[in-house]
């Protein structure tokens, strides 16, 4: 008798009760809902959906801690606010700072991704993460997690690509990616319109003006990266669309997944190769 093999499970995709023998969930259509691999993948996706902002902030903090610990000898403990807990340039280059030098001399194109997760000091990190937690939450609400992360990742890389073309030799920081989120929210506000759209547009527009004024007044800010990220974010918002206009599709989830795998691979490679380089003492 096969009776004992029949079991009911909760579909990992839609959380409805179905038979574990189904090849396709009759409610949400995901294939092989009873297999261990399917539930593993969906568990990961649900955790990501609920905690993407925290995970991204966590990755930035982990990379910052690594950069401080690895470069402890070169770390600045100056009490000047912008250089307190500042890892040295050598460590930042090893961990994947981007620009003309790393790309042309070291052929490290992957730094267009890794540089988004590196910061030049504690204050730099805190400012960027405070801005990101607000803008990332807002963008997730209107675009969903997958598209928010595509805008963050691709927009940050695009901003750094433009600053590379413009000749910036060495640069780091999440602000190009944050400017991409700003661009996507400007597009959203303008495209949606109405009372809420206008409110978002004016409020986010204020942020954009603030960032550019800051960039003009404070030396050493990568304005090409900021402007490039902003332009990329407007374009990505237009191409991907927001929830109210176009619901999250399989393509959006796939693109988000590609960005997540690529980012994890680059960050593991960047920190792993740095630790290997230092341990082997070349
Ligand atoms: Zn289902």
């Amino acid at each position: 008798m096969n009776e004992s093999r029949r079991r009911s499970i909760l579909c990992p995709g839609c959380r409805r009760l179905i038979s574990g023998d189904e090849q396709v969930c009759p409610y949400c259509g995901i294939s092989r809902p009873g297999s261990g691999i399917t539930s593993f993948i969906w568990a990961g996706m649900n955790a990501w959906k609920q905690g993407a902002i925290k995970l991204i902030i966590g990755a930035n903090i982990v990379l910052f801690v690594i950069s401080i610990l690895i470069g402890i000898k070169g770390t600045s403990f100056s009490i000047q606010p912008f250089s307190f807990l500042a890892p040295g340039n050598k460590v930042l280059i090893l961990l994947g700072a981007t620009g003309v030098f790393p790309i042309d001399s070291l052929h490290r194109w992957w730094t267009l991704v890794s540089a988004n997760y590196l910061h030049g000091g504690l204050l730099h990190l805190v400012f960027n993460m405070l801005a990101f937690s607000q803008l990332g939450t807002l963008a997730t609400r209107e675009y969903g997690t997958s598209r928010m992360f595509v805008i963050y990742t691709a927009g940050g890389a695009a901003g750094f690509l433009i600053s590379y073309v413009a000749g910036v030799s060495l640069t780091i920081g999440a602000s190009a990616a944050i400017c991409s989120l700003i661009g996507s929210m400007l597009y959203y506000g303008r495209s949606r319109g109405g009372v809420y759209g206008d409110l978002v547009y004016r409020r986010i527009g204020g942020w954009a003006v603030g960032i550019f004024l800051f960039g003009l007044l404070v030396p050493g800010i990568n304005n090409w990266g900021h402007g490039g990220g902003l332009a990329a974010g407007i374009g990505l918002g237009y191409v991907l669309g927001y929830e109210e206009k176009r619901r999250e599709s399989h393509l959006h989830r796939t693109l988000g997944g590609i960005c997540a795998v690529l980012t994890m691979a680059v960050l593991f490679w960047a920190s792993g190769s740095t630790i290997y380089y230092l341990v082997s003492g070349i």
Side-chain angles (χ1 to χ4, degrees):
M1 298 291 275
N2 280 335
E3 200 59 25
S4 62
R5 284 178 52 84
R6 297 191 65 178
R7 62 202 168 95
S8 291
I9 58 158
L10 283 180
C11 166
C14 62
R15 315 300 301 164
R16 280 195 249 213
L17 198 63
I18 56 167
S19 158
D21 302 327
E22 298 279 11
Q23 285 304 302
V24 174
C25 171
Y27 299 106
C28 70
I30 67 166
S31 63
R32 296 175 49 73
S35 89
I37 294 170
T38 308
S39 24
F40 180 75
I41 290 172
W42 276 87
M45 277 171 58
N46 286 333
W48 167 243
K49 269 209 148 60
Q50 278 152 23
I53 303 291
K54 282 182 195 146
L55 279 168
I56 295 168
I57 292 175
N60 276 279
I61 293 173
V62 166
L63 263 288
F64 182 71
V65 170
I66 290 177
S67 69
I68 294 295
L69 289 180
I70 286 179
I72 197 78
K73 276 188 224 152
T75 295
S76 162
F77 290 97
S78 153
I79 49 165
Q80 290 199 340
F82 278 100
S83 43
F84 179 66
L85 277 189
N89 268 357
K90 184 188 170 191
V91 171
L92 290 174
I93 291 169
L94 283 171
L95 281 172
T98 195
V100 174
F101 172 67
I103 291 177
D104 284 354
S105 307
L106 309 171
H107 310 293
R108 293 175 133 203
W109 283 96
W110 51 266
T111 58
L112 292 174
V113 174
S114 55
N116 289 295
Y117 291 83
L118 296 171
H119 290 88
L122 187 61
L123 210 57
H124 189 203
L125 175 77
V126 170
F127 274 161
N128 274 347
M129 291 304 105
L130 286 175
F132 171 68
S133 68
Q134 287 203 39
L135 284 157
T137 305
L138 197 59
T140 303
R141 195 159 69 210
E142 308 307 345
Y143 286 91
T145 306
S146 299
R147 278 175 282 186
M148 179 279 291
F149 193 57
V150 174
I151 292 164
Y152 185 83
T153 307
F160 282 143
L161 182 64
I162 285 166
S163 82
Y164 159 77
V165 172
V168 174
S169 68
L170 202 62
T171 184
I172 46 167
S175 44
I178 291 168
C179 284
S180 178
L181 293 175
I182 288 179
S184 76
M185 289 314 296
L186 285 177
Y187 167 73
Y188 167 82
R190 241 316 145 70
S191 164
R192 185 190 182 279
V195 175
Y196 181 64
D198 289 345
L199 189 75
V200 168
Y201 185 75
R202 276 203 306 273
R203 178 136 178 252
I204 303 297
W207 280 65
V209 170
I211 284 177
F212 282 101
L213 286 179
F214 186 74
L216 291 177
L217 297 173
V218 179
I221 301 287
N222 183 354
N223 289 306
W224 287 104
H226 286 176
L230 188 93
I234 294 172
L236 285 162
Y238 172 75
V239 171
L240 295 168
Y242 47 88
E243 277 289 306
E244 219 175 302
K245 209 178 189 183
R246 202 180 305 153
R247 294 214 57 190
E248 184 179 282
S249 69
H250 190 64
L251 175 69
H252 297 142
R253 284 191 287 272
T254 307
L255 289 173
I258 291 170
C259 286
V261 169
L262 183 74
T263 300
M264 280 192 287
V266 163
L267 294 183
F268 275 117
W269 170 255
S271 39
S273 63
T274 300
I275 290 166
Y276 176 78
Y277 173 87
L278 292 173
V279 167
S280 62
I282 306 164

